[in-house]
Amino acid sequence: GIQVEQSPPDLILQEGANSTLRCNFSDSVNNLQWFHQNPWGQLINLFYIPSGTKQNGRLSATTVATERYSLLYISSSQTTDSGVYFCVRIGNQGGKLIFGQGTELSVKP
Amino acid sequence: NAGVTQTPKFQVLKTGQSMTLQCAQDMNHNSMYWYRQDPGMGLRLIYYSASEGTTDKGEVPNGYNVSRLNKREFSLRLESAAPSQTSVYFCASSFDRGLGEQYFGPGTRLTVT
């Protein structure tokens, strides 16, 4: 079936550092989101980005659909960035979400 | 604009009890979804409603029923709760099925003892 692979699986950063999270897909991407699940369990939409580049404050994302990958950039990380980042492909049938295994990010003060 | 709201936030049930989880969205979305998330896992689709008046099974529908009450509201019912249904339940909505981003509610943490 369709696979979504994220790397790295976990990451520890010092506050203020930058990072790049990667998501690879086994098939062509036409519907993709990045989520942040914070330590309280809330799922926060970061980007809906089937292709191209988007920026929102310190975060930006790029999806290269033809090469089957997406990148999430976090600049000047803060402790509130801690949590798990999921790359999610939205299936065409019934909105089924196909999750990557997530990147667990811990930002230390 | 509250987005997607869910009630309750927490619930403890005994095996065999029933309950209904409520979800509402105010974004005029056509499609709504119920997911469960178990520790260390992504979300799995329980049921979805592509549009008002329709519901369909997702990956893990057994033990659950749903009702799309109107365009805004989509409820999930556990008729006879089992410990295997201990999970965090998320409701979501999107403008259309399988298209566009999904917006999630805050979740309901359910424990079945």
Side-chain angles (χ1 to χ4, degrees):
Chain A
I2 299 163
Q3 301 292 323
V4 177
E5 295 180 356
Q6 289 186 244
S7 60
D10 43 68
L11 186 58
I12 300 173
L13 296 177
Q14 205 65 38
E15 201 168 26
N18 303 329
S19 63
T20 301
L21 281 56
R22 186 177 178 104
C23 180
N24 291 331
F25 299 86
S26 62
D27 74 335
S28 59
V29 171
N30 59 2
N31 221 354
L32 181 113
Q33 275 185 259
W34 283 96
F35 288 98
H36 173 213
Q37 189 163 36
N38 66 22
W40 296 272
Q42 289 180 297
L43 278 166
I44 300 159
N45 285 13
L46 296 178
F47 296 102
Y48 173 69
I49 186 162
S51 65
T53 296
K54 290 185 177 179
Q55 177 149 14
N56 185 0
R58 296 180 296 103
L59 272 60
S60 64
T62 295
T63 295
V64 183
T66 53
E67 309 249 336
R68 303 182 182 181
Y69 72 88
S70 184
L71 302 173
L72 178 69
Y73 307 95
I74 304 173
S75 64
S76 304
S77 58
Q78 301 176 357
T79 55
T80 52
D81 294 332
S82 296
V84 182
Y85 289 80
F86 288 107
C87 168
V88 184
R89 185 190 182 280
I90 302 168
N92 292 329
Q93 294 183 347
K96 176 181 174 180
L97 301 182
I98 301 167
F99 278 75
Q101 73 272 37
T103 292
E104 184 160 6
L105 175 65
S106 179
V107 182
K108 305 294 187 187
Chain B
N1 188 338
V4 180
T5 57
Q6 290 182 237
T7 55
K9 287 189 168 51
F10 301 94
Q11 184 71 49
V12 179
L13 292 178
K14 290 186 171 23
T15 297
Q17 288 184 318
S18 62
M19 77 161 295
T20 300
L21 281 63
Q22 306 286 354
C23 174
Q25 52 89 13
D26 62 1
M27 295 175 281
N28 201 34
H29 284 167
N30 293 308
S31 299
M32 298 184 73
Y33 315 85
W34 276 106
Y35 297 93
R36 60 178 288 173
Q37 185 179 30
D38 299 305
M41 297 180 68
L43 277 65
R44 292 183 292 171
L45 183 65
I46 305 171
Y47 270 94
Y48 66 96
S49 171
S51 61
E52 187 178 355
T54 69
T55 61
D56 284 286
K57 295 178 180 179
E59 299 172 80
V60 288
N62 291 345
Y64 305 96
N65 286 303
V66 291
S67 296
R68 184 74 182 266
L69 304 169
N70 48 55
K71 190 171 187 179
R72 290 188 64 248
E73 299 173 287
F74 188 38
S75 63
L76 178 73
R77 182 159 179 85
L78 285 71
E79 290 291 351
S80 178
S84 60
Q85 294 178 303
T86 294
S87 190
V88 180
Y89 291 85
F90 289 96
C91 177
S93 70
S94 66
F95 181 74
D96 203 356
R97 178 178 66 119
L99 298 174
E101 59 190 309
Q102 294 197 13
Y103 295 83
F104 282 83
T108 295
R109 192 172 294 273
L110 175 67
T111 302
V112 183
T113 61

